[in-house]
Amino acid sequence: MRHSALGLLAATAALAIAASTAHAADLPSRYSPAPAYNALPIFTWTGFYAGLNAGYGWNVGDSRYYDPAFGTVRGSRGGGFVGGAQAGYNYQFGMFVAGVETDLQYAAVGNKGASYGTTYYDGDSDGFFGTIRARAGVAFDRAFIYGTGGFAYGDIGGNRGYDPVLGHHTGDETNWGWTLGGGVEYALTNNFTAKVEGLYVDLDTKDNYVLGGRVNVNRDAEFGVIRAGLNYKFN
């Protein structure tokens, strides 16, 4: 009888422990939920953009012709305001960025006329130029360091004048050439970027002196440009 009582007591205790364990398993967990993290968006240079720029340009070329009365006459060099608009597209792969950009600029880069006499004969300094360039470089997050080069065109306004012996000439026509340069661009926000850029531009300028091909006429239109710009990048 005693052994039966002990067996009944042991069986009752086992049932109580099992029931308590099952009930505890049904209770809600008291562990804290896993923390949730919102990943910050990664900036990319990929996309279309457009903007404005302004800066300074100066002549570095040599413009001259031969005058029978006064000998070789050289044109003046000067500089002035440069400003305009640009648009382009970038594509980023890893740290590298490649793209294409075009711009159109007003350019008062100084008189390049080579004519003897007063300013009236020398022409004027107003003109324009544009470029179609490739850009390629390395991006360090929001900073982009690049080189650029391609085609250039325009009329910088100095290729005109008058000589009493050789006659009148004018350079009011678009000439083609090339350009090389580089710059640094920084993303101020996800949409706005600012840049500083330098370019060297060489235009194949022509002349139409009647005797131009026989008296060593040279209309060398070369100039440098330093400009700052602001772009809006379309998402």
Side-chain angles (χ1 to χ4, degrees), residues 43-53 85-91 97-103 131 133-136 144 146-148 185 190-195 197 227 229-235:
F43 178 80
T44 176
W45 289 92
T46 298
F48 290 96
Y49 64 89
L52 301 173
N53 70 80
Q86 70 273 342
Y89 179 82
N90 291 321
Y91 181 77
V97 179
V100 62
E101 180 175 287
T102 182
D103 59 60
T131 69
R133 296 172 285 108
R135 297 202 312 168
F144 175 34
Y146 63 90
T148 184
E185 192 166 358
N190 286 343
N191 294 104
F192 286 97
T193 67
K195 70 175 183 177
E197 184 176 71
R227 60 189 180 182
L230 182 68
N231 288 323
Y232 180 83
K233 189 173 82 70
F234 301 95
N235 290 329

Side-chain angles (χ1 to χ4, degrees), residues 54-148:
Y56 183 80
W58 66 97
N59 279 302
V60 296
D62 183 27
S63 182
R64 64 184 182 274
Y65 78 95
Y66 176 78
D67 184 287
F70 302 102
T72 300
V73 180
R74 295 183 180 274
S76 60
R77 294 182 179 180
F81 174 77
V82 172
Q86 70 273 342
Y89 179 82
N90 291 321
Y91 181 77
Q92 182 170 356
F93 45 100
M95 291 182 61
F96 299 97
V97 179
V100 62
E101 180 175 287
T102 182
D103 59 60
L104 185 61
Q105 308 286 129
Y106 167 81
V109 293
N111 172 43
K112 282 296 299 298
S115 300
Y116 182 83
T118 66
T119 304
Y120 171 77
Y121 294 125
D122 288 339
D124 58 62
S125 63
D126 293 331
F128 78 95
F129 77 94
T131 69
I132 303 172
R133 296 172 285 108
R135 297 202 312 168
V138 179
F140 301 92
D141 191 18
R142 291 178 175 267
F144 175 34
I145 302 174
Y146 63 90
T148 184

Side-chain angles (χ1 to χ4, degrees), residues 146-204:
Y146 63 90
T148 184
F151 297 103
Y153 60 93
D155 176 11
I156 64 169
N159 188 32
R160 41 188 170 267
Y162 176 81
D163 181 88
V165 176
L166 299 180
H168 175 77
H169 73 93
T170 178
D172 290 331
E173 59 185 15
T174 300
N175 302 294
W176 290 87
W178 55 271
T179 180
L180 285 175
V184 178
E185 192 166 358
Y186 186 80
L188 304 175
T189 69
N190 286 343
N191 294 104
F192 286 97
T193 67
K195 70 175 183 177
V196 177
E197 184 176 71
L199 293 177
Y200 175 84
V201 184
D202 188 335
L203 298 179
D204 184 18

